[in-house]
Amino acid sequence: MEYNDLNCTKAYKELLDAPKASVKALLGKERIEKNEIKLGGGLKYNWAAMPIDENICSKLQALADEMDIVEKYKKILSGEMMNVGEKRLVLHHLTRGNVLSVKVEGDGEDKQAFYEGELAKIKDFAQKVHSGEIKGSTGKKFTTVCQIGIGGSDLGPRALYLALKGYEKKMNAEFISNVDPDDAADVISRLDFETTLFILVSKSGTTQETLTNRDLVLETLRKSPIKGLDSSKHIVAVTSKTSPLAQGKSVLASFFIDDYIGGRYSSTSAVGGVVLSLAYGYEVFEKILKGAHEEDCLSLEKDVTKNGALLDALIGVYLRNIKNYPATAILPYSQALSRFPAHLQQLDMESNGKSVNRHGKKVDYPTGPVIFGEPGTNGQHSFYQLLHQGTDIVPLQFIGFKNSQYGFDIITDGSYSQTKLNANLAAQIVAFALGKDDENPNKVFEGERCSSLIYGDKLTPESLGALLAHFENKVMFQGFLWNLNSFDQEGVQLGKVLAKKVLKGEGDEVLKAFAGKLI
């Protein structure tokens, strides 16, 4: 199989020459009804408000076929080494099911059996905590779980936890991530140590920020006046089998991940599984896995009009490389998804924020866009001004649900709050696309602001899992299209190295000069 740069393909050159389509000219009732694809978890992907006509869509199909995008996805699923930078397999899909029903081996073991074994451990542990069979060191039942981790060990699991807060919780969850001591201090101030179970998440067992926060928690526990408090009975680890965290008796239990699960792709592994199973019950986490697996299976479809993640990826590449749009806004009209844009920032920008291809050669075309977002309707009263009337066009990805989670609502001015929320969502899609003329230049909306919509009946564990997998697969497909390695993250390493030099009093004059301003 060939791995070529985007601009070396015949289909890309044809896309460059193809007539541009107008959202204003295309948008109509029939198109809105027709241009829709089924996703997992009962969701649908609607691309009616994108500048993609039948001619462009056919060329996007040709691009996907020419670059063997779905076949490359199958290589990941079958266990081929696809993280060429770190020479590793890429197995996050396998944590939620075997899409191709093939045996995948790594580290001398059956990886499906390994992941399923860890799920069984998580299920058993969560049930014992909920039943009170496993208690804190002073004999009290655990009521709170606190995850200590950073990056992928925090953003995804935290986003998923918050997304399900409308469902019945078995335990409250807190998260400590930033090495800023104010973060830990704020969370610790809310905790009852006797009833709190900490989850320490670090694949390597050497993550500086995570270990610093662990030590801060341990020191606070040590200084506690509570008699009989034993920290080793209040901490579990999510780490690799060879990690120092997996050794010794300093933790109550260990749950394992491996090098084939990147942090930003780890929410469906033990990284997300332990905290979500404790907070909501293993059955809820299992439903997240089910929705994600359903979307993974749908992502095998070669027809781009039937594969939402692939078409989303192709349209994103068209907007980035043909239309030259530099950013994408993720706009969930669901307060439950308040931290989902932050998770997608890492997922997308850490994966495809690359300037060399998978062979280490410089690419001469734009790659990953800047990702940002905020829930509606708050965003409407914030940065939408630039989105509507600014000099840059920013593609938009809306997410919405017909019904709320809590079911708590009232009628005011003739409509429910949820109805008002979704009325705003529909209005924004149309306002961005069609705009408005006015004699007053300040009130002119040029329109042609393109958007997509992912929507469903209600944000459930299944639809949440499918939503997560949709964006993971979109990012993966775009990495293939740009010929990148979407599974390493060398860009985060240099700052870590220099920070260690500062702490040792090392480094050149420039580094020491800036450090001197702050330390």
Side-chain angles (χ1 to χ4, degrees), residues 183-445:
D183 183 24
D186 175 58
V187 173
I188 288 172
S189 70
R190 298 193 295 269
L191 299 179
D192 177 348
F193 288 148
E194 291 187 88
T195 59
T196 298
L197 178 65
F198 293 92
I199 306 173
L200 186 64
V201 185
S202 173
K203 182 162 57 180
S204 66
T206 61
T207 309
Q208 183 190 69
E209 296 95 333
T210 300
L211 295 185
T212 298
N213 281 323
R214 175 203 62 180
D215 292 344
L216 194 155
V217 166
L218 289 176
E219 181 65 11
T220 307
L221 285 167
R222 189 185 66 80
K223 291 181 177 179
S224 171
I226 301 171
K227 293 183 179 180
L229 196 62
D230 180 355
S231 63
S232 68
K233 303 297 183 182
H234 289 257
I235 297 180
V236 300
V238 177
T239 190
S240 65
K241 289 181 179 179
T242 58
S243 158
L245 297 179
Q247 313 304 318
K249 299 180 179 180
S250 61
V251 295
L252 180 61
S254 294
F255 304 93
F256 297 122
I257 51 178
D258 55 35
D259 286 335
Y260 309 134
I261 310 295
R264 57 195 177 277
Y265 298 99
S266 66
S267 293
T268 52
S269 73
V271 172
V274 178
V275 65
L276 294 172
S277 295
L278 288 168
Y280 293 106
Y282 179 79
E283 296 75 16
V284 170
F285 180 62
E286 198 170 36
K287 290 177 181 179
I288 294 174
L289 300 182
K290 178 182 177 182
H293 180 65
E294 184 182 359
E295 179 61 17
D296 290 341
C297 293
L298 291 171
S299 296
L300 285 170
E301 174 62 58
K302 287 190 175 183
D303 183 344
V304 302
T305 64
K306 297 178 182 178
N307 185 334
L310 179 55
L311 184 58
D312 196 1
L314 287 160
I315 291 175
V317 168
Y318 178 81
L319 298 174
R320 184 75 176 105
N321 296 92
I322 306 298
K323 303 284 279 184
N324 296 311
Y325 297 152
T328 298
I330 309 295
L331 307 171
Y333 274 61
S334 168
Q335 188 60 31
L337 294 175
S338 60
R339 289 297 290 171
F340 200 65
H343 168 59
L344 295 186
Q345 279 181 335
Q346 185 198 16
L347 173 65
D348 201 311
M349 296 170 73
E350 195 169 84
S351 295
N352 291 335
K354 312 286 176 63
S355 57
V356 298
N357 66 18
R358 63 188 288 113
H359 307 300
K361 296 180 179 179
K362 194 85 170 177
V363 297
D364 55 359
Y365 47 81
T367 57
V370 172
I371 302 294
F372 70 98
E374 183 75 13
T377 58
N378 290 26
Q380 293 177 200
H381 298 270
S382 176
F383 52 81
Y384 277 36
Q385 169 63 46
L386 184 148
L387 300 183
H388 275 294
Q389 293 182 309
T391 54
D392 285 317
I393 291 180
V394 177
L396 317 165
Q397 294 209 279
F398 290 102
I399 304 169
F401 300 93
K402 293 181 181 179
N403 299 298
S404 64
Q405 284 183 333
Y406 286 96
F408 170 78
D409 208 346
I410 60 170
I411 295 178
T412 58
D413 297 326
S415 62
Y416 285 101
S417 298
Q418 185 71 19
T419 306
K420 292 181 175 69
L421 176 71
N422 288 334
N424 273 275
L425 171 50
Q428 289 296 330
I429 293 173
V430 174
F432 278 117
L434 302 183
K436 180 180 77 74
D437 292 327
D438 198 285
E439 293 182 359
N440 182 344
N442 291 325
K443 297 183 179 182
V444 171
F445 291 74

